Amino acid sequence: RVSAVAVDVNSDGTALGAGDSRDEITIAFGTGQVTGQFVRDRICLGLRTELRGYEAETAAPPTPSTAASCLELRVVMAIEMTDEPF
């Protein structure tokens, strides 16, 4: 699934415009290496369910809240890697 909030960024976190050149990084690890570009995205874990106005007599179900535990982070998106990158 594609993120609706991901943004292409440079290594310092500045957002890129259309046609801007991108920073790349090559990381050597174990027996290989990975080359990637930087992306800022938001990761949300879980779904908090809140009981809003729920009363047993009404039989109205609880309404799920979209307010989950979220974290904004920058990651390296792999664009090239050796056959055994790790």
Side-chain angles (χ1 to χ4, degrees):
R1 182 170 151 154
V2 177
S3 173
V5 295
V7 177
D8 295 331
V9 295
N10 274 324
S11 60
D12 64 359
T14 57
L16 297 173
D20 287 349
S21 61
R22 299 182 70 162
D23 290 344
E24 289 187 359
I25 187 170
T26 299
I27 302 167
F29 184 80
T31 59
Q33 64 184 28
V34 176
T35 299
Q37 298 172 335
F38 300 91
V39 177
R40 182 175 60 229
D41 204 352
R42 185 180 338 151
I43 304 267
C44 298
L45 302 174
L47 182 66
R48 187 178 68 204
T49 302
E50 296 178 350
L51 298 176
R52 291 192 216 145
Y54 179 74
E55 295 177 11
E57 298 83 18
T58 65
T63 305
S65 170
T66 57
S69 297
C70 298
L71 175 69
E72 189 170 289
L73 59 128
R74 291 188 306 212
V75 296
V76 175
M77 173 183 65
I79 59 170
E80 184 179 333
M81 63 180 81
T82 56
D83 289 337
E84 295 183 29
F86 306 108

